[in-house]
Amino acid sequence: MKRFATAALILPVLLAGCQEDASPAQKYSTGGDPADSPCARVVSAIGYADLMLEPKGSEERQHFEDAVIGRLAEARGITLQFGDRLPASLKTAVETLKTTTAGLSRNDVPRERQVALLKQYRAAADQIVAGCA
């Protein structure tokens, strides 16, 4: 009985200690925070994807390997999370980025379609980057 009483006294202290370690703000796996600037997050995702893309005007030479698809999928996810909080003037570009990355983040899309989507993506991404500057 003495052990049970001791455990009953210690358990609330242990549980409280675990709760103190929990972060009150939601954090994303990429280290972001829901309070981050929407422009900063989306523009950063666009820049990160661009590192894997052929230069503008060379979309026909683009290889859509898994790494490229992954970066575009990440841009899609961040745009889905933060895009609706961008300035209203960028609404059309945000919607275009969402729809183009929906196709570009899959590996079963025919190459011709990937190239066309990439061109549309680039135009929308450029508008977002300029509008957030």
Side-chain angles (χ1 to χ4, degrees):
M1 185 65 146
K2 185 176 177 183
R3 287 184 190 169
F4 178 73
T6 303
L9 291 173
I10 293 175
L11 186 59
V13 174
L14 293 173
L15 291 176
C18 290
Q19 290 175 346
E20 289 174 0
D21 290 341
S23 173
Q26 178 185 5
K27 295 285 186 182
Y28 298 113
S29 63
T30 56
D33 187 292
D36 285 348
S37 159
C39 270
R41 293 291 293 180
V42 174
V43 168
S44 177
I46 289 168
Y48 188 60
D50 281 352
L51 293 173
M52 297 289 297
L53 299 176
E54 290 290 331
K56 198 178 302 183
S58 303
E59 289 82 7
E60 288 81 13
R61 292 191 340 226
Q62 183 66 53
H63 295 283
F64 293 94
E65 64 266 4
D66 290 344
V68 171
I69 290 170
R71 296 258 179 121
L72 291 164
E74 183 173 356
R76 175 175 170 68
I78 289 174
T79 303
L80 288 171
Q81 182 69 40
F82 291 95
D84 293 338
R85 293 174 29 207
L86 293 181
S89 61
L90 298 174
K91 182 178 179 167
T92 301
V94 167
E95 291 307 313
T96 300
L97 203 75
K98 289 178 184 178
T99 58
T100 57
T101 55
L104 289 168
S105 61
R106 297 177 35 197
N107 62 8
D108 64 345
V109 174
R111 177 164 174 67
E112 301 78 31
R113 180 77 178 133
Q114 287 175 317
V115 171
L117 288 171
L118 183 56
K119 290 177 182 179
Q120 293 171 16
Y121 164 86
R122 280 243 162 96
D126 287 349
Q127 288 176 352
I128 291 170
V129 171
C132 281

